[in-house]
Amino acid sequence: MQRTEIATLGEFGLIKHLTENIELKNESSKYGIGDDCAVMQYPAEKQVLVTTDLLMEGVHFDLTYVPLKHLGYKAAMVNLSDIYAMNGTPRQMVVSIALSKRFCIEDMEAFYDGLKLACENHGVDIVGGDTTSSLTGLAISITCIGDADKDKVVYRNGAHDTDLICVSGDLGAAYMGLQLLEREKRVFQSQKQEGTAAEDMAQPDFAGKEYLLERQLKPEARKDIIEKLAAAGIKPTAMMDISDGLSSELLHICTQSGVGCRVYEERIPLDYQTAVMAEELNMNVTTCALNGGEDYELLFTVPIGCHEQIEQIEGIKMIGHITKKDLGCALITRDGNEFELKAQGWNPLK
Amino acid sequence: MQRTEIATLGEFGLIKHLTENIELKNESSKYGIGDDCAVMQYPAEKQVLVTTDLLMEGVHFDLTYVPLKHLGYKAAMVNLSDIYAMNGTPRQMVVSIALSKRFCIEDMEAFYDGLKLACENHGVDIVGGDTTSSLTGLAISITCIGDADKDKVVYRNGAHDTDLICVSGDLGAAYMGLQLLEREKRVFQSQKQEGTAAEDMAQPDFAGKEYLLERQLKPEARKDIIEKLAAAGIKPTAMMDISDGLSSELLHICTQSGVGCRVYEERIPLDYQTAVMAEELNMNVTTCALNGGEDYELLFTVPIGCHEQIEQIEGIKMIGHITKKDLGCALITRDGNEFELKAQGWNPLK
């Protein structure tokens, strides 16, 4: 692959090269890249939503198996998912990158290709950012801005006793994808240590596990679910996206809403590949689904009266219900036992 | 100094600890920290301004001589300055930090003290962010959001032939402050290498150079200049803040406005301490003022008819004028020679 040093373009040249074909598509995007600030204008009835994520190499991603195009796509999705989790529509994004000398222009092109694809698919304008250098790894900071009608914004604190707990898609697959990639990385490294020639190395066999890889490397923020709920006239009472794991997120909703919950193990949506992989790794698949994280699915609560409507929406599963606070937060296992839910999800600072 | 490990609080505990006393003060701040997004609402006649900066340890700051409280203050100022440079008012800020195990809770308290002080002084609400870990140094990403009446926003591209070029404050001092700190760091390190006992080490003598240190360690975004211009009824034709150096920024304005310029060396505002320090270091003080950067002063152009009004505003200096494009961009030296202006400012990727 060609390798062109970033120094040949410099900061301003690189930014220009990566962003010159960007066209602003949202009515609210008034001025994009090129001045001290991006300029937006929103109608008075809209509320403006802002979310930000900082992704660090070695902590949030491992470039030995994550292609930069996928990284760009995922970095965008992580932020888009937070806008949808407020029942909003993402509109703009500012993207900052700090890179070391080991990255070349072609690397940044690949990253931006992924980023732009994600933005295109979700109707988002890249309106600014910062490009600078790093002494060590890659750092990516994205801030995403969206809007929503004032009466449509959904917080984490609105769940009520008897509400139904719903989740989109299936859980635990991204975590299984990560385990799979980490396993293959270990195999590769031990072969390398043993001095195996490149052509003799065992090639990773991902057959039958494509879904797990896709969920880890190319997650998709659930715009479709927000649209389906709106079409059905349903406004969730509380909502958030599942990034740290179902348990952790459910506890956030319950704490902030001042309620308890009951979740049924048998109702937690799992993909077949997730179950097979958990078996293969001798892990409990429910634990993976509860605590794995990086699902970027939506977790939300709706009034019990929405039961039939929700049942008819494809891709949404009712997994339990909200209770009074003093009943606590518990998982009901397949055999009818009750376990207290604990946040064992990803915590970068523990 | 006390040192409490961050792991004792974890991510959510740390965020709560650092942000629990934050009160939202702006009418436009509807919901701050604690959900998937911050929520804002702006009047329809306002445009919304967004700027972002990513600061990396070892590239943008050196913790051997930058106290964390100052770093928090400066990280905020860098962003506030960009909002003022659009003739706007900063309103909200989201703050992301990635930190390694070497940082403790007290470090983060100091950083947040500086951040909060800056926000308090400028009426800005901290509404969100991301706190995560880093394998190596500290990374700080701040996105600042402001607003401005639609007809008041000032871009870089509005300068016209005959406009006056103005600059606030004085230039080059922050760069001299950096040289001073770097020099003392080298002295300290060489004493350490020679095994000098701590009590025998020469203490850095900053007497008479306090202004240079303050300009480097605790810059102040020029809210006052924006207010004075508004009070005088002056709307600049073009404006930006000086972060990379006067030369570099002037060229941005000229390129984007399709004009040329003449700047007079004798008119470039310099502080006495800057001149003394340049002499001491055997550097050309004009070069420092043109290319040093980190001044966070405002560079702007006004119609020639504003000459008398500008003259009466304290803290603003007219340093030259805009010309037709084909005359190019030049500095007129004290002895009347003309030199082409070049962007030799800070470029992190060269």
Side-chain angles (χ1 to χ4, degrees), chain A residues 132-345:
Chain A
T132 190
S133 59
S134 153
L135 289 186
T136 50
L138 184 64
I140 302 162
S141 173
I142 293 183
T143 300
C144 189
I145 304 164
D147 62 18
D149 287 336
K150 191 183 164 179
D151 59 346
K152 295 282 162 54
V153 175
V154 177
Y155 292 90
R156 296 176 179 178
N157 62 10
H160 293 288
D161 183 21
T162 77
D163 278 357
L164 300 170
I165 300 169
C166 306
V167 70
S168 65
D170 58 79
L171 304 178
Y175 181 70
M176 285 294 104
L178 180 63
Q179 301 310 310
L180 179 61
L181 287 163
E182 287 283 342
R183 184 177 72 178
E184 295 305 323
K185 182 185 169 186
R186 285 190 299 269
V187 169
F188 174 77
Q189 285 177 332
S190 74
Q191 288 184 339
K192 225 171 125 185
Q193 274 181 351
E194 288 161 10
T196 312
E199 62 271 24
D200 296 331
M201 280 191 188
Q203 286 304 303
D205 181 11
F206 294 137
K209 301 193 167 69
E210 296 83 357
Y211 181 68
L212 305 179
L213 293 182
E214 192 183 315
R215 293 285 285 172
Q216 171 56 225
L217 295 174
K218 196 166 176 280
E220 193 62 42
R222 298 308 301 262
K223 180 189 190 187
D224 59 329
I225 296 292
I226 296 303
E227 289 171 346
K228 283 176 185 172
L229 288 172
I234 297 172
K235 183 191 166 192
T237 50
M239 182 156 59
M240 66 184 295
D241 73 328
I242 305 177
S243 51
D244 295 340
L246 177 63
S247 280
S248 166
E249 317 302 21
L250 248 177
L251 289 171
H252 280 303
I253 285 182
C254 289
T255 306
Q256 294 194 29
S257 301
V259 296
C261 72
R262 288 296 173 276
V263 170
Y264 297 87
E265 184 182 17
E266 62 188 9
R267 292 185 154 273
I268 295 173
L270 300 169
D271 185 80
Y272 173 73
Q273 291 186 18
T274 307
V276 170
M277 187 71 199
E279 180 88 18
E280 203 176 312
L281 295 174
N282 212 9
M283 292 171 104
N284 181 312
V285 70
T286 301
T287 307
C288 297
L290 285 174
N291 302 316
E294 290 200 280
D295 297 302
Y296 302 109
E297 295 295 344
L298 292 169
L299 169 68
F300 57 96
T301 56
V302 296
I304 192 163
C306 295
H307 190 285
E308 280 182 30
Q309 274 176 290
I310 289 283
E311 228 168 17
Q312 281 159 24
I313 303 179
E314 214 187 328
I316 298 180
K317 192 106 182 256
M318 287 171 279
I319 60 169
H321 58 85
I322 297 294
T323 66
K324 290 203 164 49
K325 189 180 178 182
D326 52 13
L327 290 175
C329 297
L331 176 79
I332 315 291
T333 59
R334 283 194 181 78
D335 52 15
N337 284 318
E338 232 180 84
F339 283 100
E340 197 196 332
L341 276 180
K342 284 193 180 147
Q344 295 169 313

Side-chain angles (χ1 to χ4, degrees), chain A residues 50-105:
Chain A
V50 177
T51 180
T52 193
D53 268 291
L54 178 55
L55 305 177
M56 304 293 292
E57 186 176 349
V59 176
H60 299 92
F61 55 89
D62 184 334
L63 290 176
T64 56
Y65 53 72
V66 177
L68 278 159
K69 185 174 176 180
H70 285 74
L71 181 62
Y73 194 88
K74 185 169 173 175
M77 283 303 153
V78 169
N79 281 278
L80 298 176
S81 184
D82 281 319
I83 301 281
Y84 294 126
M86 300 295 286
N87 205 25
T89 306
R91 301 291 184 189
Q92 289 89 19
M93 193 176 271
V94 293
V95 181
S96 295
I97 310 177
L99 48 150
S100 64
K101 286 206 196 309
R102 113 184 114 93
F103 297 96
C104 61
I105 293 176

Side-chain angles (χ1 to χ4, degrees), chain B residues 54-76:
Chain B
L54 178 56
L55 305 177
M56 304 293 291
E57 185 178 350
V59 177
H60 300 91
F61 55 89
D62 184 334
L63 290 176
T64 55
Y65 53 72
V66 177
L68 278 159
K69 185 173 176 181
H70 285 74
L71 182 62
Y73 194 87
K74 185 169 173 175

Side-chain angles (χ1 to χ4, degrees), chain B residues 166-171 222 225 269 297-300 315-317:
Chain B
C166 306
V167 69
S168 66
D170 58 79
L171 305 179
R222 299 307 302 260
I225 296 292
E297 296 294 344
L298 292 170
L299 169 68
F300 57 95
I316 298 180
K317 192 107 182 255

Side-chain angles (χ1 to χ4, degrees), chain A residues 35-36, chain B residues 85-87 152-156 235-239 300:
Chain A
D35 217 295
D36 296 284
Chain B
M86 300 295 286
N87 205 25
K152 295 282 162 56
V153 176
V154 177
Y155 293 89
R156 296 176 179 177
K235 183 190 166 192
T237 49
M239 183 155 58
F300 57 95

Side-chain angles (χ1 to χ4, degrees), chain A residues 35 40-41 44 48 141 143 156, chain B residues 35 40-41 48 141 143 156:
Chain A
D35 217 295
M40 273 83 81
Q41 190 166 4
V48 178
S141 173
T143 300
R156 296 176 179 178
Chain B
D35 218 295
M40 273 83 81
Q41 189 165 4
V48 178
S141 173
T143 300
R156 296 176 179 177

